[in-house]
Amino acid sequence: MLDAFEGKDQVDIVEAFSYPLPVTAICKVLGVPREDEPRFHGWADALASSLDPRPAATVRRRRSRRARTWART
């Protein structure tokens, strides 16, 4: 991940490092193949956003259900 910063003047450290690092570690522990990490990232975001108790979270809850379905397969 750090190699991707080479030659860049500016980097969004959260987007490029702080979020991907733990996701990569979690995927490794769970046995998620490297090529499925972007898919897992989307699933994790959908699942986390479904925890919002506000009414506007309905769409996120639907995404979360789809993500959970994907995770079971």
Side-chain angles (χ1 to χ4, degrees):
M1 283 184 203
L2 294 176
D3 291 341
F5 299 163
E6 189 173 337
K8 294 186 179 180
D9 294 332
Q10 292 184 342
V11 175
D12 180 341
I13 198 73
V14 172
E15 183 67 29
F17 188 73
S18 296
Y19 184 82
L21 181 63
V23 170
T24 299
I26 291 167
C27 285
K28 187 167 180 97
V29 169
L30 295 177
V32 175
R34 186 109 170 117
E35 62 271 9
D36 286 341
E37 281 186 29
R39 196 169 168 195
F40 183 86
H41 180 134
W43 170 76
D45 283 347
L47 187 59
S49 67
S50 74
L51 302 175
D52 186 347
R54 296 174 291 181
T58 303
V59 172
R60 290 187 295 271
R61 278 199 263 298
R62 278 190 225 127
R63 289 182 189 151
S64 174
R65 276 193 295 265
R66 282 182 281 187
R68 285 193 302 270
T69 300
W70 171 83
R72 284 187 223 129
T73 60

